[in-house]
Amino acid sequence: MQNSKSQSLLQGVSVLAAAMLIVKLVGAVFKIPLGNILDGEGMGYFSTAYSVFTMIYAFSTAGLPAAISKMVAEQSVRGRYRDIRKIHEISTRFFLILGVGGFLLMALGSKLFVNIAKTPSALYSVLAISPAILFGCVTSAYRGYYEGLRNMTPTAVSQVVEVVAKLVFGLSLALVVTKTASSQYAKSGVVFGQQAASLEEMQRIAAPYAAAAAIFGVTLSTVVGTVYLLIHCKRAGDGVTEENLKYSPRAMRGKVLLVRLVKIAIPISLGSIVVNVAQFIDTFTIIRRLDAAFQAHSDAMLKIFDSIIPAQVLQENGSANFIYGSYSGYALSVFNLVPAFTTIFGKSALPNVTAAWTVRDMKGTKLNIESLIRMTFLITAPLSLGIFSMATPILTLLYPGKAAEVAIAAPVLSLQGISLLFLGMSAPLFAALQALGRADLPPKFMLLGAALKFIVNYATIGIPAINVRGAAMGTMICYAVIMVLCLVWLTKITGIQFRFVGLFWKPLAGGLLCAGAAYGVYGLLFHFIASNSLKTLLAIGVAGIVYLLAVLLLRAITEDDVRMLPKGEKFAKLLAKYGLLG
């Protein structure tokens, strides 16, 4: 459907990217102080609950928004506007039922989940976040509908509204709990009904409650996001006019549309579930394998961690959860920034590739897929290689008061940086396969990748010299295999000879120059500036300038890419004038 609200691939990306930038900046304002409030132990509880949540949430919602987007985009091209409205009506009801089911599954199974993860103190956190599934389902129904109409603005605005609410509620509630615990300890030494003999013990007693309070802020944020979308839909509508509906063919039966929706959604959901299985595997292997390593190789493990992990944590056998919390709450908080940004390319590409492929516009299909791959890798390459070279300075900048957690997380994050070269491409490539009608392939690829990750995790984390870095190695192998399989099958399905080498080498070359500049500038400033924060920010700033120049001089962006951006015609003429377009 071409109306005033329809957006091209890169226009949609621009809208989502702007929102994602705000979301991640506000999210950092949430996650960084939260990490300083909760420490490694509290972040372990927070991460365990969030991992369980994302697994069930993916099952409940991930496939259907993409299915809605695909179906709406198909019917838009065919002018079947009555079907579009019918899809929205059916999907909203269906999502509500799924949301209730997901909420009950998580709430009733909470004790089982935390026992399997060997973190029983995460129970309150799991219960606190379980209602978010219900509201997240309703939100996803509306987002998928607007994305199918190629209007990314409602999704973008709702994400910003949600993250601001999470910041306000999450931090406020966590601070209330920690201040209450401190006040109780100062008055009587009894904290939430338990006797605390020291300040450290008080913090350990408060950690499960503070984590639960913080994660309940996530639940409240989904409520706010849902309310915003309901109000937006009521006031602004969807862009389908009365004239569109008047000349549209009669809508298909609701049962037919629902069956088709589910058939498309199931394989996409399976793929999304298995994407989250990678994090789920970490939740259920890291703590177990580290516990096994501390028991079987106690001397070797203590030699590595004795000077890092707080003494009381070591004495109370909480080392595995502390290490897992440092990995998941600190390393992954930086690591997850990249796939969060690249996912937006997949969201915008799905309806655009679907529209081109539906009418067998091979030129349009090739243009959209190549632009998707090129622009995604232009984002992925500098960020992933920059994280690889600057893991310790970045974590120290973000968490200056958490030396122990940073010491554990930094080596893992550095390895995870390489993984991002592959992981960052996975969601956009999955979206392209789904748009081509092969939604059955991503879950198959992810099952293979997840199996490889489980094997690597289990085999390596228990080795003292590797320990938690084995999780990063598993992630790297998992997503490298997935990316290669996606690229091979894109060629097979379309019959198009994509210029993969040309799409990848220029961003990769620019990324290497970017990472080298960051590392070199930081090393040079090390001898002249004492402040880590200032050195890191200057190094990142110089690296960004180097990368921008490298991309322009290597002509890594094409004229078609620039023209699809908002105001793209003007930028294209300017860059073409100086010979800076590929």
Side-chain angles (χ1 to χ4, degrees):
M1 179 179 62
Q2 294 300 321
N3 59 43
S4 61
K5 294 184 180 181
S6 294
Q7 298 161 343
S8 72
L9 189 156
L10 291 185
Q11 285 174 334
V13 165
S14 300
V15 172
L16 291 174
M20 187 58 68
L21 182 61
I22 297 170
V23 166
K24 287 304 168 184
L25 286 173
V26 177
V29 175
F30 170 70
K31 203 72 179 284
I32 293 168
L34 182 64
N36 288 304
I37 292 169
L38 296 183
D39 72 29
E41 186 174 7
M43 289 304 291
Y45 304 139
F46 184 98
S47 299
T48 296
Y50 203 79
S51 174
V52 176
F53 163 73
T54 52
M55 184 71 175
I56 298 175
Y57 184 70
F59 174 77
S60 302
T61 68
L64 282 166
I68 295 167
S69 178
K70 179 176 170 56
M71 286 181 66
V72 169
E74 288 174 345
Q75 302 312 321
S76 296
V77 171
R78 294 168 179 151
R80 299 187 64 93
Y81 301 107
R82 294 180 190 269
D83 284 334
I84 290 172
R85 285 283 178 85
K86 195 83 171 180
I87 290 166
H88 179 49
E89 179 185 335
I90 291 168
S91 62
T92 304
R93 292 177 183 173
F94 190 47
F95 262 46
L96 187 60
I97 295 169
L98 278 178
V100 173
F103 161 59
L104 292 174
L105 175 63
M106 187 166 182
L108 296 176
S110 56
K111 195 164 186 179
L112 173 65
F113 296 142
V114 297
N115 286 337
I116 293 173
K118 296 191 72 175
T119 51
S121 295
L123 177 63
Y124 302 127
S125 294
V126 175
L127 289 171
I129 200 174
S130 56
I133 295 175
L134 171 58
F135 296 101
C137 281
V138 178
T139 301
S140 294
Y142 280 86
R143 286 176 178 171
Y145 179 62
Y146 280 110
E147 287 163 16
L149 294 170
R150 284 183 272 178
N151 180 9
M152 305 297 162
T153 304
T155 293
V157 176
S158 67
Q159 287 173 338
V160 173
V161 168
E162 216 169 273
V163 77
V164 171
K166 181 172 72 172
L167 170 69
V168 173
F169 291 124
L171 285 184
S172 298
L173 292 172
L175 283 170
V176 167
V177 170
T178 53
K179 289 193 179 217
T180 301
S182 297
S183 176
Q184 290 181 353
Y185 174 70
K187 287 180 181 178
S188 63
V190 176
V191 180
F192 300 130
Q194 299 180 59
Q195 186 68 45
S198 65
L199 182 62
E200 290 75 17
E201 191 173 351
M202 178 274 288
Q203 292 171 338
R204 295 206 68 200
I205 293 170
Y209 301 98
I215 212 164
F216 188 61
V218 176
T219 296
L220 294 176
S221 73
T222 60
V223 176
V224 174
T226 301
V227 171
Y228 164 77
L229 283 170
L230 291 173
I231 293 172
H232 174 84
C233 187
K234 185 76 173 175
R235 288 186 175 179
D238 56 10
V240 177
T241 66
E242 290 299 323
E243 186 177 356
N244 292 148
L245 294 171
K246 181 179 178 181
Y247 295 105
S248 171
R250 182 181 297 176
M252 288 184 274
R253 287 187 301 130
K255 185 177 179 181
V256 174
L257 290 172
L258 179 60
V259 169
R260 190 174 175 202
L261 183 69
V262 172
K263 281 184 177 179
I264 296 172
I266 287 175
I268 299 176
S269 287
L270 290 173
S272 301
I273 290 168
V274 185
V275 168
N276 289 284
V277 163
Q279 187 174 345
F280 211 59
I281 288 170
D282 283 341
T283 302
F284 292 104
T285 56
I286 290 177
I287 292 177
R288 287 179 174 275
R289 295 303 294 152
L290 287 174
D291 272 338
F294 272 104
Q295 291 173 16
H297 312 285
S298 60
D299 290 342
M301 292 294 283
L302 287 173
K303 186 177 180 181
I304 296 169
F305 293 106
D306 188 35
S307 61
I308 299 175
I309 298 176
Q312 188 169 356
V313 175
L314 285 169
Q315 291 167 8
E316 297 183 15
N317 298 320
S319 302
N321 181 63
F322 189 91
I323 295 170
Y324 171 68
S326 300
Y327 162 74
S328 60
Y330 298 82
L332 290 189
S333 65
V334 176
F335 173 79
N336 287 331
L337 289 173
V338 177
F341 272 101
T342 60
T343 298
I344 66 178
F345 286 89
K347 281 181 176 290
S348 187
L350 183 73
N352 285 280
V353 176
T354 296
W357 184 249
T358 299
V359 296
R360 291 301 184 265
D361 175 7
M362 304 309 289
K363 182 179 178 182
T365 300
K366 182 179 182 181
L367 172 65
N368 277 288
I369 291 177
E370 286 193 344
S371 185
L372 168 69
I373 293 172
R374 180 170 47 253
M375 298 306 290
T376 301
F377 209 62
L378 279 168
I379 297 293
T380 302
L383 294 179
S384 60
L385 294 173
I387 287 171
F388 169 73
S389 64
M390 295 285 289
T392 300
I394 289 171
L395 285 174
T396 304
L397 168 69
L398 298 176
Y399 305 102
K402 299 294 178 181
E405 290 85 349
V406 168
I408 293 169
V412 190
L413 179 60
S414 186
L415 275 178
Q416 292 279 46
I418 303 299
S419 306
L420 287 169
L421 287 171
F422 314 113
L423 172 58
M425 292 298 303
S426 296
L429 292 176
F430 280 3
L433 289 170
Q434 291 158 5
L436 296 172
R438 292 306 305 269
D440 60 306
L441 292 176
K444 294 174 183 176
F445 299 162
M446 275 305 309
L447 281 171
L448 175 60
L452 291 172
K453 176 167 175 59
F454 179 81
I455 292 168
V456 174
N457 271 29
Y458 196 86
T460 59
I461 293 173
I463 300 172
I466 299 176
N467 57 79
V468 74
R469 282 176 291 184
M473 294 166 60
T475 301
M476 189 186 309
I477 292 170
C478 169
Y479 287 103
V481 170
I482 288 166
M483 190 185 86
V484 171
L485 289 172
C486 285
L487 295 175
V488 169
W489 277 91
L490 277 175
T491 303
K492 282 187 178 182
I493 294 165
T494 61
I496 297 170
Q497 294 301 312
F498 297 103
R499 300 168 295 164
F500 290 135
V501 174
L503 294 174
F504 286 121
W505 85 262
K506 290 180 180 179
L508 186 60
L512 288 169
L513 289 172
C514 172
Y519 185 80
V521 170
Y522 185 85
L524 181 65
L525 294 176
F526 189 83
H527 301 286
F528 302 101
I529 300 176
S531 169
N532 174 75
S533 299
L534 182 57
K535 285 183 292 190
T536 304
L537 292 172
L538 286 172
I540 292 172
V542 171
I545 294 170
V546 168
Y547 183 65
L548 180 60
L549 291 173
V551 165
L552 292 174
L553 293 175
L554 290 169
R555 295 188 297 175
I557 303 174
T558 69
E559 185 174 348
D560 287 329
D561 293 333
V562 179
R563 287 186 185 278
M564 284 194 286
L565 291 167
K567 310 288 184 183
E569 292 286 342
K570 293 181 180 179
F571 288 113
K573 287 180 182 178
L574 179 63
L575 293 174
K577 180 180 177 181
Y578 295 99
L580 298 174
L581 292 176

